[in-house]
Amino acid sequence: MSSHKKLLEVVEELLRQALILTEFAESSLDLAQNLRDTGIGELAGLIEQLIYDCDLGITKLQGLSSLIDETREIIGRDSGYCPATAAVSAPAVNSASPLSPDPDLAIYSGENTTSNSSDLLTSHYADFELHLSDVVDRVYQLQKSISKSGSKTITGMIMLVSMLGAATNHPVTKTLMDGYKRFTAAAGVYEIGQKSNNLGKVELKDVVDWYLKMSVAEEERRKRTQEKELDASARAHAEKGRTLGTSS
Amino acid sequence: MNQLLPLIKDFLETMQVVLKTAEELRVEAQRLPSTEADALPGKIQQLDDLCAEGLKTYKKAQDIAEEMRDLVG
């Protein structure tokens, strides 16, 4: 049987078991809801049932864990499982790359050089994912911080926070700016990945592009504000000069 | 019964966390077939983490249930 087919089978079983586990946990919870209303005489039996259910649930989860290990093993060892999206060209990366292949993480596509390339990209994208995950957390925190404002989109939030940040030294501003820095870093990692290879990650690139646009827009807005402030200051100086000239 | 009530509350809360984790596991497992090859290791790690979290919480629920059993005698 091909590894690809085996992988599909394992994933199918994983899905099935995950569904069973959900239904099982739901049924245990329903059963546990009766605890308060159960008479003392029947309570012991119900608790025994719950302990037994917990045992079964734990066994199911252990089974799921084994299936996950199996999935990981297939991906790790498989030289045949290489969809077009994972195909990478070797020459861009030195085969003597100091990055050692991690059997648990790498997606191998047959040749060592390609594996190294793949490892490098995996590593870059892992960094990217880390940054992205961090930013998502920060945006979520941001959303929580200003949820009362009624702003429904991230764009709206950013505009709102930018205005707030410009006027005050609100802690949210720091979160936002940290978010920008993270995205800039993530964009850098993405570029490294792109230079190393032409592997396309359109959806991630879209996110980065969008955020970079937001950063540029924010920078332009900041410049415009600064220019307006300078104009106002120049006008005030001119006005002051005229006033002094008139009075003398 | 008074001593049992906090344990029942604790058990119910823990089981709700178990259910939430199980649902997350199911949702993530459903996304697995449409995951691109290079994102698979990360996705599998995520499933593994959810499994570990689920095991920990389920064991906690079991401990609470055993405490309840000891109390009821």
Side-chain angles (χ1 to χ4, degrees), chain A:
Chain A
M1 187 195 304
S2 77
S3 294
H4 192 195
K5 197 175 171 194
K6 175 77 180 156
L7 180 70
L8 284 177
E9 276 187 15
V10 174
V11 168
E12 197 183 330
E13 182 61 15
L14 192 72
L15 260 167
R16 207 170 65 84
Q17 292 300 327
L19 186 65
I20 291 173
L21 178 75
T22 312
E23 285 170 354
F24 191 77
E26 207 164 18
S27 137
S28 291
L29 189 59
D30 285 345
L31 194 65
Q33 305 276 10
N34 298 323
L35 274 169
R36 282 195 192 107
D37 308 319
T38 304
I40 197 80
E42 293 157 341
L43 205 55
L46 182 55
I47 291 170
E48 276 306 326
Q49 176 68 46
L50 287 171
I51 293 172
Y52 178 71
D53 280 0
C54 281
D55 244 331
L56 280 181
I58 289 166
T59 310
K60 282 179 198 303
L61 263 170
Q62 282 165 341
L64 264 171
S65 186
S66 302
L67 281 170
I68 291 167
D69 283 348
E70 206 178 328
T71 314
R72 182 185 279 150
E73 198 187 317
I74 293 168
I75 293 167
R77 68 155 187 257
D78 186 8
S79 58
Y81 183 68
C82 180
T85 46
V88 286
S89 59
V93 179
N94 187 346
S95 61
S97 162
L99 287 168
S100 56
D102 181 346
D104 286 334
L105 290 175
I107 300 163
Y108 296 103
S109 24
E111 295 175 15
N112 287 338
T113 47
T114 313
S115 295
N116 284 338
S117 176
S118 179
D119 287 345
L120 189 63
L121 278 172
T122 305
S123 162
H124 285 148
Y125 284 122
D127 283 349
F128 180 84
E129 273 185 34
L130 209 65
H131 286 312
L132 202 59
S133 159
D134 193 15
V135 173
V136 169
D137 284 349
R138 281 160 195 270
V139 170
Y140 175 62
Q141 290 302 327
L142 190 65
Q143 192 176 22
K144 278 208 302 190
S145 305
I146 60 166
S147 59
K148 285 179 186 169
S149 70
S151 175
K152 286 182 180 172
T153 64
I154 293 174
T155 312
M157 284 195 309
I158 287 171
M159 282 171 68
L160 187 72
V161 176
S162 301
M163 286 190 289
L164 181 72
T168 66
N169 195 21
H170 196 281
V172 165
T173 314
K174 189 177 178 305
T175 312
L176 180 73
M177 293 327 286
D178 281 353
Y180 278 142
K181 281 179 196 164
R182 287 289 184 187
F183 259 111
T184 310
V189 171
Y190 179 81
E191 275 175 26
I192 295 168
Q194 278 236 315
K195 278 174 194 161
S196 301
N197 221 295
N198 289 326
L199 181 65
K201 288 289 291 179
V202 176
E203 64 277 24
L204 289 182
K205 190 177 183 308
D206 283 349
V207 175
V208 173
D209 285 349
W210 180 79
Y211 248 79
L212 286 177
K213 270 184 202 164
M214 290 303 301
S215 300
V216 171
E218 168 62 17
E219 180 64 19
E220 283 171 356
R221 191 201 61 78
R222 199 182 60 76
K223 276 183 187 164
R224 279 200 302 274
T225 310
Q226 207 171 17
E227 280 167 7
K228 276 183 192 168
E229 281 170 3
L230 285 171
D231 283 349
S233 172
R235 273 200 301 275
H237 272 290
E239 186 67 31
K240 198 176 171 185
R242 273 199 299 276
T243 312
L244 283 173
T246 315
S247 63
S248 60

Side-chain angles (χ1 to χ4, degrees), chain B residues 8-51:
Chain B
I8 293 175
K9 185 173 172 280
D10 206 7
F11 183 82
L12 285 172
E13 281 171 2
T14 312
M15 277 309 292
Q16 264 157 3
V17 177
V18 168
L19 181 61
K20 192 169 163 269
T21 312
E23 274 170 346
E24 270 182 64
L25 251 172
R26 182 182 58 78
V27 169
E28 292 306 325
Q30 259 174 346
R31 287 179 183 154
L32 210 53
S34 58
T35 304
E36 286 188 31
D38 53 346
L40 268 178
K43 183 61 76 183
I44 287 163
Q45 186 55 48
Q46 192 184 355
L47 284 171
D48 212 359
D49 292 345
L50 280 170
C51 242

